Amino acid sequence: MSELPLSIAQHYHDRTKYDPDTLGAKSHQLDWENQPVPFKEYKIGATIDLKPYLKKEPDGGKDLARKGLTRLSRLLFCTYGLTAKLATMTGSQIYLRSAPSAGGLYPAEVYLLSKGTPQLPPGLYNYQAQNHSLIRFWDSDVWPALQAATFWHPALEHTRLAIATSAVFFRSAWRYQDRAYRRIFLDTGHLLGNLELAASLTDYRPHPIAGFNDDALNELLYLDPTQESLITFIPLADLLDIDQNLPKYRTALPSATQTDYPTIPDGELLGYCHQATKINSDKTGIGGWSLSDEEEPEEDKYNFPFCSKVSTKTRPIDWRTNLEGLENTILKRRSTRAYSGAPLSFDELKALLDFTYHSEHYTYQNLDAYPDFFDLEDIQTFIAVSSVTGLDEGCYYYAPKAEELRQVRFKNFRRELHYLCLGQDLGRDASALVFHTADLKKAIAKYGDRVYRYLHLDAGHLGQRLNLGAIYMGLGVSGIGGFFDDRVNEVLGIPADEAVLYITTLGKPR
């Protein structure tokens, strides 16, 4: 019996895998003369400087117009603001932001769309991270067109602001070529992790949507979809307005599944895959928006027979005990460059897993209890433990609902992890590596090829929660998007159906 043909998402994933036998042939020299600029410029438009609104309000917040801009200023700065500028040996500048990005390339652009508020007239705004300002490049009411492009998502009925994030493909593809598509969505997931938590600090509630009419939203924002395309659209509920306290709705919609595609040359695979995962304007096969909690969540996927099980139940991280708190943690976050090899404690690992997967434990700290993932049921988590005091070495499956680790293999994998992570010392010296995976075939059956976007967005979102929890606790953390895909499954004992999406390394910084 012949196997079914691969869909375009599966084909893309297989084509962009790293393999030790072919990696050398796929390497390329970076074209430094054509290095992309990580900021978008507009020749015309009205500018709103947001820097003054980062300061403490002198009147205690009685000026409502100023208070509104102060909240937006903090929200945008924590989400994607410029937090450091470093000089290089060549005299050029490296810009660092509140959200991590593979290779420091920052492919995402952030837009603000207003229906009309006391602070922001109706129109389209681009967030200029380089100088922390908004530029208003279009000044008309776009809300009816937004509602149509999002298939009348209920979150737009009462909200008056929305954030949209796009990807400028070349910024990431310049270095990572076709595999950049994976990293673009991981980067956007990091950004969404910041947005969700920053909104809790500023009395907003984001409602991220990744199921929308791509062509309509790109046209609305005047984007050339061959160069830049919308990735997420996020109605922003103002929780100080009782009419905007909205229930949660589903955020993902299915697309078609394409199995009949031509031979696609290297260098064109990223663009082809993105076009193939669009949702058509005729909304064929799309159901209505339903409340997100209508279905009971599935049980944890893997319950291996005869495996040892270790409880991860723990007390939540108390973000209130440290004067720096969540906002400063977001702003001072940096990816760890090197680990000492010293062990984490099991209590530290448990606390990180609790913050990443159990947001409901943080309601009493006024953090968003139920952040929007696109479908977390499709993401699985495996952890390779090299040096965690109180926990045996080996590879574990993490079962969030049961709050336990289930051991898959007994072994210290330090040497193998160094190899699997393309010889990066971070893989060798980390105390633990968190692997996010997904069964692509099953996920595509559920959502079509567009699910490839959702999976990487969710993996990046989870990775950012690990990032922030680790930084707050004084630990080291760094994401890895480059690895020998299939060898990871073979070495660690991760089921072959699970495609590895992302790795987050944890340890003690050197």
Side-chain angles (χ1 to χ4, degrees), residues 40-42 111 113 123-126 136-142 145-146 164 166 214-230:
K40 189 170 184 176
E41 294 184 4
Y42 285 85
Y111 297 88
L113 302 91
L124 305 175
Y125 301 76
N126 176 263
R136 184 181 177 208
F137 63 91
W138 191 255
D139 60 357
S140 66
D141 183 7
V142 297
L146 286 177
S166 71
D214 296 72
D215 291 340
L217 280 184
N218 286 330
E219 184 177 344
L220 185 71
L221 284 162
Y222 301 97
L223 305 182
D224 176 355
T226 64
Q227 307 295 322
E228 179 184 0
S229 186
L230 253 288

Side-chain angles (χ1 to χ4, degrees), residues 51-89:
K51 290 188 292 296
Y53 301 100
L54 288 174
K55 301 173 183 176
K56 187 175 180 180
E57 299 164 45
D59 63 353
K62 295 177 184 177
D63 183 338
L64 294 181
R66 180 179 178 86
K67 184 176 182 179
L69 283 174
T70 298
R71 292 165 61 207
L72 270 178
S73 179
R74 287 176 63 203
L75 177 72
L76 290 170
F77 194 60
C78 287
T79 298
Y80 206 48
L82 183 68
T83 55
K85 185 167 63 173
L86 307 176
T88 67
M89 294 178 64

Side-chain angles (χ1 to χ4, degrees), residues 464-491:
Q464 185 64 353
R465 291 185 75 93
L466 285 169
N467 267 284
L468 296 177
I471 295 299
Y472 183 73
M473 295 167 63
L475 306 175
V477 59
S478 190
I480 292 180
F483 42 83
F484 290 135
D485 296 69
D486 292 338
R487 303 294 175 94
V488 169
N489 299 69
E490 295 169 13
V491 171

Side-chain angles (χ1 to χ4, degrees), residues 236-503:
L236 199 59
D238 186 339
L239 298 183
L240 301 184
D241 177 356
I242 193 170
D243 290 335
Q244 295 188 42
N245 280 249
L246 309 171
K248 281 184 59 180
Y249 290 87
R250 294 206 171 277
T251 57
L253 290 176
S255 72
T257 302
Q258 185 181 139
T259 57
D260 184 15
Y261 42 86
T263 300
I264 307 164
D266 288 345
E268 298 179 16
L269 186 58
L270 185 159
Y272 190 96
C273 186
H274 187 70
Q275 291 297 312
T277 56
K278 292 193 307 184
I279 291 177
N280 295 327
S281 58
D282 61 9
K283 200 184 167 194
T284 301
I286 297 174
W289 295 105
S290 58
L291 289 169
S292 64
D293 57 355
E294 285 185 350
E295 297 178 11
E296 288 295 320
E298 298 176 7
E299 292 299 318
D300 292 313
K301 184 172 181 180
Y302 292 111
N303 198 351
F304 302 99
F306 312 116
C307 68
S308 60
K309 299 178 181 179
V310 186
S311 173
T312 60
K313 292 182 179 179
T314 187
R315 297 177 68 177
I317 295 173
D318 192 345
W319 291 90
R320 303 168 303 175
T321 57
N322 188 318
L323 293 178
E324 291 185 331
L326 176 58
E327 185 167 3
N328 280 356
T329 300
I330 292 173
L331 298 180
K332 76 177 185 180
R333 179 220 56 80
R334 289 289 176 266
S335 298
T336 302
R337 297 297 182 188
Y339 295 115
S340 67
L344 296 179
S345 72
F346 189 27
D347 285 342
E348 288 169 329
L349 180 59
K350 287 191 291 187
L352 289 174
L353 292 173
D354 184 76
F355 177 64
T356 302
Y357 292 88
H358 292 284
S359 53
E360 70 277 7
H361 295 169
Y362 294 83
T363 51
Y364 70 97
Q365 298 184 45
N366 296 321
L367 295 184
D368 187 357
Y370 300 100
D372 281 296
F373 291 93
F374 296 105
D375 197 333
L376 209 52
E377 296 293 334
D378 292 325
I379 302 287
Q380 306 303 322
T381 303
F382 293 84
I383 304 176
V385 173
S386 295
S387 182
V388 176
T389 305
L391 189 62
D392 289 337
E393 299 166 344
C395 183
Y396 295 80
Y397 170 71
Y398 175 58
K401 297 178 184 66
E403 292 186 72
E404 65 184 19
L405 291 170
R406 300 168 183 168
Q407 194 155 20
V408 179
R409 285 194 177 167
F410 297 82
K411 186 180 178 182
N412 186 307
F413 289 104
R414 274 198 194 276
R415 187 178 68 176
E416 290 88 346
L417 290 167
H418 186 235
Y419 165 74
L420 294 173
C421 295
L422 311 186
Q424 296 180 71
D425 290 349
L426 289 171
R428 179 194 64 203
D429 299 333
S431 302
L433 284 76
V434 180
F435 294 80
H436 288 122
T437 73
D439 184 333
L440 275 184
K441 184 177 179 181
K442 181 179 177 183
I444 290 168
K446 187 175 180 181
Y447 283 110
D449 285 317
R450 195 179 183 91
V451 79
Y452 201 77
R453 304 186 188 189
Y454 307 153
L455 295 173
H456 286 82
L457 287 166
D458 282 346
H461 191 159
L462 289 168
Q464 185 64 353
R465 291 185 75 93
L466 285 169
N467 267 284
L468 296 177
I471 295 299
Y472 183 73
M473 295 167 63
L475 306 175
V477 59
S478 190
I480 292 180
F483 42 83
F484 290 135
D485 296 69
D486 292 338
R487 303 294 175 94
V488 169
N489 299 69
E490 295 169 13
V491 171
L492 298 181
I494 296 173
D497 288 340
E498 295 290 335
V500 181
L501 306 173
Y502 196 29
I503 303 174

Side-chain angles (χ1 to χ4, degrees), residues 98-274:
S98 54
S101 172
L105 298 172
Y106 299 102
E109 282 289 326
V110 173
Y111 297 88
L112 193 67
L113 302 91
S114 175
K115 188 178 183 180
T117 72
Q119 303 83 33
L120 296 176
L124 305 175
Y125 301 76
N126 176 263
Y127 175 54
Q128 300 273 291
Q130 191 170 14
N131 56 21
H132 191 53
S133 64
L134 289 170
I135 186 163
R136 184 181 177 208
F137 63 91
W138 191 255
D139 60 357
S140 66
D141 183 7
V142 297
W143 222 253
L146 286 177
Q147 290 179 294
T150 56
F151 309 117
W152 306 99
H153 193 284
L156 280 165
E157 292 180 13
H158 297 287
T159 51
R160 305 194 69 82
L161 290 173
I163 288 175
T165 74
S166 71
V168 181
F169 300 122
F170 178 65
R171 288 184 192 167
S172 189
W174 171 77
R175 179 169 182 174
Y176 297 114
Q177 301 174 287
D178 285 322
R179 191 172 169 117
Y181 198 59
R182 305 187 188 197
R183 297 173 186 260
I184 283 167
F185 286 96
L186 293 172
D187 279 4
T188 306
H190 296 147
L191 187 159
L192 293 178
N194 273 358
L195 174 63
E196 170 242 320
L197 291 166
S200 295
L201 302 171
T202 52
D203 295 312
Y204 287 108
R205 173 67 169 88
H207 293 263
I209 302 169
F212 49 77
N213 181 335
D214 296 72
D215 291 340
L217 280 184
N218 286 330
E219 184 177 344
L220 185 71
L221 284 162
Y222 301 97
L223 305 182
D224 176 355
T226 64
Q227 307 295 322
E228 179 184 0
S229 186
L230 253 288
I231 301 298
T232 60
F233 179 75
I234 308 150
L236 199 59
D238 186 339
L239 298 183
L240 301 184
D241 177 356
I242 193 170
D243 290 335
Q244 295 188 42
N245 280 249
L246 309 171
K248 281 184 59 180
Y249 290 87
R250 294 206 171 277
T251 57
L253 290 176
S255 72
T257 302
Q258 185 181 139
T259 57
D260 184 15
Y261 42 86
T263 300
I264 307 164
D266 288 345
E268 298 179 16
L269 186 58
L270 185 159
Y272 190 96
C273 186
H274 187 70

